[in-house]
Amino acid sequence: MASLVGLRGVRAEGGGRRWRLNRIVSQIVAIVGALLLWQLVATTLTSEGTLPTPWSVGRALVGLWGTAAYWSALLTTLRAWAIGLLICSVVGVPVGLALGSSRVAMASTRWVIDFFRTIPTVALLPLLLLLFGATARMEITMIVLAAIWPIIIQSIYSVSQIEPLLKWVVRVFRFSVLDRARFLWVPSIALMVSTGLRLSATMALLMAISAEYIGGAPGLGSELVRMQTTLQRPEVYAYAVTAGLLGVAINVVIGRLQRRVLCWHPSIREGH
């Protein structure tokens, strides 16, 4: 029986490795296909110089790596993104948990949240420019106004997902505040809150680039505009590719952290 169980474990592990290998191969094939399509469109369907080829964009990106302006813009964008996301987390999670813990508070604030979260943050950019100018403060404010809502909403619904029976058991056995947080609140809300954080991280990066591109705050977006005004098309696409790669890297890092920190959660274990 033990040998049979071990054989099943080896087969399951082998199947998981094959699945991961097939996934990596399919991703590589998709990337190569997208690059070939880009090359075809750039060389046949557009006028010369309008759409740079992947090779020219890659050379421009490598050239930008040797400039201080590129790394300064990248670090500036990352700093504004990190500060904005930190503010969203520090404010959004407690507010969401407090609202979700009270039916009256949740019912009375639902229309307020639905109203403000549907306002396009870009529409507030002229007002923020009047208040703060093209500064990092304006950029961080835009990030917070746009990215705080997924965290608040996920925190609200994470509280409502807690089993009433578990709440009753905690009350009956008179758990301390620390034990309630450890054995009830954290296991119940951690997954949904981390999912909201992941959504907010992507939205925060989008707002950071938008604030720099449209509002003129220093960062990748403003450097992209500068290259665009001087008609350096490969460099324009190189900065756009940098923003895309940065978004992918942020999503991958947060996803790995989520799986590592919440490895005990049933849905994470099933995903593996």
Side-chain angles (χ1 to χ4, degrees):
M1 180 64 70
S3 60
L4 181 59
V5 173
L7 181 60
R8 288 179 179 177
V10 170
R11 288 179 178 177
E13 184 179 357
R17 289 179 178 176
R18 284 195 300 270
W19 179 83
R20 286 192 292 270
L21 180 61
N22 292 335
R23 182 181 178 184
I24 293 174
V25 171
S26 62
Q27 290 174 347
I28 294 175
V29 170
I31 293 173
V32 172
L35 291 176
L36 291 176
L37 179 61
W38 181 359
Q39 177 73 25
L40 178 64
V41 172
T43 54
T44 60
L45 300 181
T46 59
S47 58
E48 185 177 358
T50 303
L51 178 62
T53 62
W55 175 251
S56 62
V57 172
R59 286 189 303 176
L61 183 59
V62 172
L64 288 174
W65 288 347
T67 63
Y70 176 85
W71 295 108
S72 177
L74 180 61
L75 292 176
T76 300
T77 299
L78 278 175
R79 182 170 59 249
W81 168 83
I83 295 174
L85 186 61
L86 178 62
I87 294 174
C88 290
S89 303
V90 171
V91 175
V93 174
V95 169
L97 295 179
L99 294 178
S101 301
S102 172
R103 292 184 179 180
V104 176
M106 187 167 58
S108 60
T109 57
R110 177 176 297 176
W111 70 271
V112 178
I113 294 175
D114 290 340
F115 174 77
F116 281 104
R117 72 185 181 90
T118 55
I119 297 176
T121 309
V122 178
L124 302 176
L125 180 59
L127 176 61
L128 296 179
L129 283 173
L130 288 174
L131 292 175
F132 306 115
T135 60
R137 183 178 297 181
M138 177 273 295
E139 183 179 0
I140 294 172
T141 304
M142 278 195 65
I143 292 173
V144 173
L145 291 176
I148 197 172
W149 303 113
I151 296 180
I152 291 179
I153 293 172
Q154 288 292 107
S155 300
I156 290 175
Y157 285 108
S158 67
V159 177
S160 64
Q161 295 297 320
I162 299 178
E163 289 290 339
L165 179 60
L166 296 178
K167 294 181 180 179
W168 179 80
V169 170
V170 166
R171 267 197 318 271
V172 168
F173 286 94
R174 298 181 180 180
F175 280 24
S176 65
V177 175
L178 183 60
D179 287 338
R180 291 186 184 190
R182 180 181 177 185
F183 296 110
L184 177 64
W185 286 88
V186 172
S188 301
I189 70 174
L191 183 62
M192 294 191 69
V193 171
S194 64
T195 302
L197 179 63
R198 193 171 180 177
L199 295 173
S200 294
T202 303
M203 192 174 297
L205 181 63
L206 291 174
M207 282 298 104
I209 301 296
S210 299
E212 296 163 0
Y213 184 81
I214 303 175
L220 289 176
S222 60
E223 287 298 310
L224 194 153
V225 172
R226 187 172 66 85
M227 295 298 172
Q228 186 177 4
T229 55
T230 56
L231 298 180
Q232 301 182 51
R233 289 189 175 91
E235 284 74 14
V236 171
Y237 282 87
Y239 273 109
V241 169
T242 299
L245 293 176
L246 183 59
V248 172
I250 287 174
N251 191 47
V252 170
V253 169
I254 293 181
R256 289 184 180 274
L257 286 175
Q258 183 185 40
R259 288 192 295 270
R260 183 176 293 274
V261 174
L262 302 179
C263 60
W264 48 267
H265 201 279
S267 62
I268 302 296
R269 292 202 304 267
E270 291 174 4
H272 285 286

